[in-house]
């Protein structure tokens, strides 16, 4: 998840080490207390995956090399490790910003724009139905460790037998127009290339919205691939390449695949909506 625009909003000291602020609160200077400070002596693992190695530094927005960790050893020899606030936010896959009013670092709370204009438009239910949303995928878009690609470029993948699958040719009829979200944790194969093939056949009478999203850890929001819709009697196939990115955060590998009510459904009174009828597959294909 890219957060460079958020880091630029931080004062230089806020984007630096959280440890500095904490150590500054000591009653006595570090040297007078007989304590010691060392840098980058420890690494960091998240969900058992090495994210930072001992001795590793990172480059701050200013271009300076900043320590990932500070080890504070008190006079009794007890060690406490501190980590840069900016890097902590990345390890937790959370937004970081600066609250000027309280002089606080905000982690997990998206920055609030300085000026917000809200326009309220009154609409009548008797008006014309809302237009059907655009049905344009964004090939090449990467979220987490998935990249959406054009299905026509990997025809052999679509027709291949899946090495494994989350759900396969499952048909469901629902009065509320939805299909339970499928949660997937895609991981690349050790050899060759790996793909997720998501197909939805609409057996009903109204279009359905097809969503693929990634929950953002800590913050209550999501990153989404474009929402597409599948018309009655048609099948929509979406293909995602599973990237071999060693730097991909473990928390970035959880995705939700959903089928929901379309704009057309929402213009019809609930008691008058036709029953949703879809057939769904989410397959994991490996190509050597």
């Amino acid at each position: 998840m890219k957060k460079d625009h958020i880091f630029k909003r931080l004062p230089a000291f806020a984007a630096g080490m959280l440890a500095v602020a904490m150590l500054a609160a000591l009653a006595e200077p570090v040297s007078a207390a007989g304590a010691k400070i060392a840098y980058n002596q420890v690494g960091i693992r998240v969900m058992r995956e090495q994210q930072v190695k001992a001795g590793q530094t990172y480059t701050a927005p200013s271009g300076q090399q900043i320590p990932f960790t500070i080890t504070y050893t008190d006079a009794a020899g007890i060690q406490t490790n501190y980590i840069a606030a900016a890097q902590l936010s990345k390890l937790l896959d959370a937004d970081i910003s600066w609250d000027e009013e309280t002089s606080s670092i905000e982690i997990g709370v998206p920055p609030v724009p300085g000026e917000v204009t809200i326009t309220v438009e009154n609409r009548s239910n008797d008006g014309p139905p809302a237009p059907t949303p655009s049905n344009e995928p964004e090939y090449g878009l990467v979220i987490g460790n998935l990249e959406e690609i054009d299905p026509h470029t990997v025809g052999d993948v679509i027709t291949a037998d899946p090495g494994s699958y989350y759900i396969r040719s499952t048909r469901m009829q629902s009065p509320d127009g939805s299909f339970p979200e499928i949660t997937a944790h895609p991981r690349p194969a050790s050899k060759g290339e790996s793909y997720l093939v998501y197909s939805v056949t609409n057996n009903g009478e109204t279009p359905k919205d097809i969503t693929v999203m990634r929950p953002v850890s800590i913050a209550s929001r999501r990153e989404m691939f474009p929402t597409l819709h599948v018309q009655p009697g048609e099948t929509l196939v979406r293909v995602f390449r599973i990237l071999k990115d060693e730097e991909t955060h473990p928390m970035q590998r959880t995705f939700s695949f959903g089928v929901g009510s379309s704009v057309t459904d929402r213009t019809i009174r609930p008691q008058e909506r036709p029953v949703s009828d879809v057939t769904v597959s989410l397959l994991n294909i490996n190509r050597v």
Side-chain angles (χ1 to χ4, degrees), residues 58-77:
Y58 79 93
T59 303
S62 64
Q64 293 181 323
Q65 291 298 307
I66 305 296
F68 264 106
T69 59
I70 290 178
T71 299
Y72 170 71
T73 306
D74 64 18

Side-chain angles (χ1 to χ4, degrees), residues 13-283:
F13 68 90
M17 298 299 295
L18 178 61
V20 174
M22 300 179 70
L23 292 177
L26 292 174
E28 298 179 357
V30 172
S31 58
K36 297 179 181 180
I37 292 179
Y39 304 99
N40 297 323
Q41 287 194 335
V42 298
I44 301 171
R45 290 170 61 87
V46 177
M47 298 176 68
R48 298 184 179 180
E49 293 195 21
Q50 195 77 39
Q51 299 296 320
V52 177
K53 297 180 180 179
Q56 183 178 347
T57 61
Y58 79 93
T59 303
S62 64
Q64 293 181 323
Q65 291 298 307
I66 305 296
F68 264 106
T69 59
I70 290 178
T71 299
Y72 170 71
T73 306
D74 64 18
I78 298 176
Q79 293 185 339
T80 303
N81 295 302
Y82 299 89
I83 182 173
Q87 293 304 313
L88 177 63
S89 73
K90 289 185 178 181
L91 293 171
L92 295 178
D93 192 21
D95 287 325
I96 182 173
S97 58
W98 175 253
D99 186 346
E100 184 70 32
E101 184 176 350
T102 62
S103 296
S104 301
I105 297 170
E106 293 274 14
I107 296 178
V109 180
V112 178
E115 296 182 3
V116 178
T117 302
I118 300 177
T119 302
V120 178
E121 180 180 356
N122 294 323
R123 292 187 178 183
S124 171
N125 292 332
D126 298 330
T132 302
S134 173
N135 205 37
E136 296 295 330
E138 188 176 343
Y139 298 135
L141 175 62
V142 175
I143 296 179
N145 65 330
L146 289 187
E147 175 191 12
E148 184 159 16
I149 62 175
D150 186 347
H152 295 94
T153 63
V154 286
D156 59 322
V157 170
I158 297 175
T159 58
D161 289 332
S164 60
Y165 57 88
Y166 294 90
I167 191 171
R168 188 173 188 180
S169 300
T170 299
R171 186 171 183 175
M172 178 174 176
Q173 295 177 324
S174 170
D176 65 359
S178 64
F179 188 96
E181 283 190 349
I182 307 167
T183 300
H185 305 275
R187 296 184 65 89
S190 57
K191 295 182 180 179
E193 293 185 319
S194 300
Y195 302 85
L196 286 182
V197 178
Y198 184 38
S199 62
V200 178
T201 300
N202 187 355
N203 310 303
E205 301 175 14
T206 57
K208 294 299 170 190
D209 284 353
I210 311 305
T211 59
V212 180
M213 60 187 69
R214 184 187 76 85
V216 177
S217 303
I218 298 181
S220 56
R221 61 184 180 84
R222 294 180 169 186
E223 292 181 335
M224 297 184 62
F225 288 95
T227 297
L228 307 183
H229 53 271
V230 55
Q231 299 293 339
E234 296 183 355
T235 296
L236 174 68
V237 178
R238 305 183 72 169
V239 179
F240 300 86
R241 180 184 286 113
I242 305 175
L243 303 179
K244 295 181 179 180
D245 185 358
E246 295 180 357
E247 297 182 358
T248 300
H249 194 287
M251 296 181 183
Q252 291 180 303
R253 300 176 188 148
T254 299
F255 291 84
S256 295
F257 295 76
V259 178
S261 300
S262 66
V263 170
T264 303
D265 279 330
R266 293 191 287 272
T267 61
I268 304 174
R269 295 179 180 179
Q271 61 271 24
E272 298 177 356
R273 291 176 188 169
V275 172
S276 172
D277 187 346
V278 295
T279 302
V280 178
S281 291
L282 180 59
L283 312 177

